[in-house]
Amino acid sequence: MTATEAAGPAVVVAAVGASAIRGALVDARGSMVATKEGITPQSSADDLLQAIGTMLERLRDAATRDGHPVRAVGVAGPGSVDERQGVVHRSANLVWKDTPVVSFLEERFQLPAVLLQDARAAALGEALLGAGRGREDFLYTVLGEGVGSAVILGGSPLVGSHGAAGEIGHIRVTEGGLPCGCGGRGCVETLASVSALIRRYILARGQVVSVTEIVERAEGGEAAAQTIWGEAIAALGAAVAAAVAVLDCDLVVLGGELAEAAGAVLIRALGAELEGRLSVVPAPELSIAALGDAAACLGAAGAAFERAGMGRGFRLMEPLN
């Protein structure tokens, strides 16, 4: 057996965020054999594509040295993503506009390539290796600078007619509410995102504190924090309840900075909110996401292996700790 055969096949993937690009070399066991991180260029779409290409090339070179034959490449990114055509149409925090990511990757690497919207990639990662492992249907919601979400249906991400299936962060929950980055007002994101909680606390108390401190102060009985936290849970609960009622799913996976910071407090508060809102369908199990920042890369890797005709072998592996 050669060193290459011993190491086994791999894919190289990148998760693109507003400030950073995270890259990973992932083997067929779902192990991140090598990782890299760089700053997200905001100068032009071409500069961003070149930065992704350079990072993936370096990871591919590391794979070659270690005897991993790279079978495919993948990218996960935010915004309006057409996964069928491999194009990012627009993104609020990136310079992409109708950017043909997949054709760029396939021309540069001469390998199969995939593009996933970042919440769907993270949801797929949790389905393959994390909190949703072994569950065919669930709602994944990430509570960070914004409120992103995706649906896993039959073990795969649901895309929808316009690439926005499961997007609960921009459901309007308050009439005449605060303006949202999407152009609407009163969206879930204006109340339940990390940035919204911090911004509203500054307005209420004139203090800059972390989201962890806001939750702790709410638990400790501080009135301003309790109001802000309660309104966030009510907004999130309204949107999650609507999604659960439509999907009839029995699991909601919560990820992002707020889920990591609040943990059991978030589960208890949202669980009580859902119990009060749902009647026809049972309230779902709530779980904190298991993979953290690795989820989007691992989901993109699973899709890249599938694009290479190798299936999603992660399903047969042990989950990550």
Side-chain angles (χ1 to χ4, degrees), residues 141-231:
T141 300
V142 56
L143 305 166
E145 288 302 301
V147 175
S149 55
V151 173
I152 296 294
L153 192 64
S156 296
L158 181 64
V159 175
S161 298
H162 306 95
E167 184 58 80
I168 67 170
H170 298 288
I171 294 175
R172 181 181 297 175
V173 289
T174 56
E175 290 298 325
L178 295 169
C180 182
C182 71
R185 300 184 72 92
C187 298
V188 175
E189 188 168 292
T190 67
L191 294 168
S193 65
V194 169
S195 55
L197 286 162
I198 293 173
R199 182 172 58 249
R200 297 185 72 222
Y201 194 82
I202 292 171
L203 291 173
R205 295 296 306 272
Q207 298 177 6
V208 180
V209 300
S210 69
V211 71
T212 301
E213 291 177 279
I214 294 171
V215 175
E216 288 175 350
R217 293 181 184 192
E219 286 288 285
E222 183 188 280
Q226 284 184 328
T227 297
I228 292 165
W229 178 241
E231 289 176 353

Side-chain angles (χ1 to χ4, degrees), residues 58-74:
R58 290 173 178 169
L59 288 164
R60 181 198 59 191
D61 293 345
T64 301
R65 288 193 300 271
D66 293 341
H68 288 281
V70 173
R71 303 300 193 198
V73 297

Side-chain angles (χ1 to χ4, degrees), residues 8 88 113 231 286:
V88 180
E231 289 176 353
L286 301 178

Side-chain angles (χ1 to χ4, degrees), residues 17-22 37-42 47-48 51-52 55:
S19 58
I21 304 171
R22 296 181 175 87
E37 187 166 329
I39 296 171
T40 303
Q42 295 288 357
D47 286 345
L48 178 51
I52 294 167
M55 178 178 286

